[in-house]
Amino acid sequence: MSAKKRVAIQGIKASFHEEAAFKFFGEDIDTIECNSFKETFQKLKAGEADYVVMAIENSIAGSLLPNYTLLREYNFPVIGEVYLHIQLHLMALPGVKFEDIKTVTSHPIAIRQCNDFLDDFPHLKVVESSDTAACAKKIKEEQLKDTVAIANNLAAKLYGLEILERRIESNKKNYTRFLILTDKNVDIKDANKASLCFQVNNNVGSLAAVLNIFAENNINMSKIQSMPVLGKRNEYNFYVDVEWKDNQQYDKAIRDSLKHTSNFSIMGEYKKNDKV
């Protein structure tokens, strides 16, 4: 019997990161809980985890820019992606009534995503925390009868809480994209998406030349993100996600791009996954 995959996540069990890990690997995994995204990479580097699941962008909050820096710094290959539909619920200890509540607690981004709901109850004290699931866990452990957490179904189930209000997020089309990384050799069959990183010189049209190469080879660019190169004036790393149908066209586009770029890096080639 093979050992379970050890998957490092930022946060604790029943967080959205664990939900994303379950969606990609199935539920028969060992979740390695970490306090920060950097710690997940450190666990992988130290051989204490086999994979990392890391959020990279949210359809409302945008890109998680510090995580692009981690990708570049540690250089672990991206081997897959997961999109998760973010659904947020209000949960409390069983038997607690809405009128008993004095405090709402959750991650700051989750709180922001539920502002319309919270605005209707100005008497409630809102307390920010590092993790949605940790808020649910605290309510259970400390038996807080005047506090509710904003978290997902998984947290309610794991920590035995009752959902008082479902789907309290303001935008019902809220998705987060997660990347799957590893230091293992993984054979990806039928890869049709890649995450690239490169720099271009500061001449007029330098970036346009690279983008035109992708267009001429029928390569769809699904994402572009620029980040300043640390300590360099007017120099940027461009993080680009591309998708293709024809491998030869993709190979040609990469070869031609090398002539117009510096520090070109393929951070991962994997199968596109936009199932939610």
Side-chain angles (χ1 to χ4, degrees):
M1 184 178 157
S2 62
K4 286 184 181 179
K5 293 180 173 77
R6 299 169 302 163
V7 183
I9 61 164
Q10 186 269 325
I12 67 168
K13 289 183 189 304
S15 63
F16 285 108
H17 273 83
E18 187 179 58
E19 197 177 330
F22 285 167
K23 193 169 176 185
F24 191 85
F25 293 105
E27 295 191 17
D28 192 25
I29 59 172
D30 279 334
T31 304
I32 314 288
E33 300 174 333
C34 299
N35 291 323
S36 66
F37 288 114
K38 185 165 188 174
E39 192 186 334
T40 65
F41 281 77
Q42 289 168 336
K43 294 278 186 198
L44 183 55
K45 190 177 182 181
E48 294 168 30
D50 304 311
Y51 299 91
V52 165
V53 174
M54 179 183 77
I56 197 69
E57 67 192 72
N58 174 267
S59 56
I60 295 170
S63 295
L64 282 74
L65 297 180
N67 290 0
Y68 281 96
T69 305
L70 287 172
L71 286 177
R72 186 97 187 157
E73 194 181 319
Y74 283 86
N75 215 23
F76 292 127
V78 180
I79 57 137
E81 64 177 1
V82 171
Y83 283 85
L84 203 60
H85 192 180
I86 304 298
Q87 300 182 348
L88 296 164
H89 314 298
L90 205 65
M91 56 194 69
L93 288 169
V96 167
K97 299 202 165 35
F98 198 89
E99 50 267 31
D100 305 332
I101 301 163
K102 297 191 177 95
T103 304
V104 181
T105 176
S106 194
H107 187 279
I109 290 179
I111 289 166
R112 274 213 309 277
Q113 290 169 353
C114 300
N115 273 344
D116 290 348
F117 177 85
L118 295 172
D119 285 348
D120 291 339
F121 305 97
H123 64 285
L124 295 177
K125 183 184 176 192
V126 177
V127 177
E128 294 184 352
S129 171
S130 60
D131 189 71
T132 53
C135 296
K137 187 181 183 186
K138 186 178 179 185
I139 288 173
K140 165 80 184 228
E141 286 178 345
E142 298 181 17
Q143 289 290 294
L144 303 174
K145 292 190 166 68
D146 63 350
T147 303
V148 285
I150 298 171
N152 61 4
N153 261 329
L154 213 54
K157 203 167 142 191
L158 184 63
Y159 301 115
L161 301 184
E162 218 164 67
I163 293 180
L164 299 182
E165 292 279 345
R166 288 189 176 275
R167 304 296 307 274
I168 64 167
E169 70 275 11
S170 303
N171 189 318
K172 305 302 179 198
K173 293 181 176 175
N174 181 8
Y175 299 95
T176 296
R177 178 179 173 229
F178 298 81
L179 297 180
I180 319 298
L181 303 108
T182 187
D183 57 351
K184 312 247 170 309
N185 283 325
V186 178
D187 184 25
I188 311 278
K189 289 183 170 62
D190 305 321
N192 58 1
K193 188 169 183 177
S195 293
L196 314 173
C197 182
F198 55 82
Q199 295 167 26
V200 295
N201 62 39
N202 204 18
N203 298 336
V204 172
S206 298
L207 179 60
V210 180
L211 304 188
N212 282 335
I213 288 166
F214 291 133
E216 285 158 10
N217 287 283
N218 291 318
I219 308 296
N220 178 40
M221 195 174 63
S222 57
K223 164 105 195 207
I224 182 166
Q225 179 73 53
S226 66
M227 290 267 292
V229 177
L230 211 59
K232 301 276 183 78
R233 188 169 164 267
N234 289 339
E235 286 189 32
Y236 294 87
N237 283 316
F238 290 96
Y239 295 89
V240 174
D241 288 338
V242 295
E243 300 166 5
W244 66 90
K245 290 186 175 148
D246 184 303
N247 283 333
Q248 285 182 318
Q249 286 185 313
Y250 167 68
D251 291 341
K252 183 176 186 309
I254 296 297
R255 277 198 313 273
D256 292 349
S257 298
L258 291 172
K259 299 167 195 163
H260 297 271
T261 58
S262 58
N263 295 331
F264 192 100
S265 160
I266 298 175
M267 295 191 295
E269 295 173 343
Y270 47 95
K271 285 187 81 162
K272 177 184 172 187
N273 180 3
D274 47 16
K275 288 193 205 121
V276 286

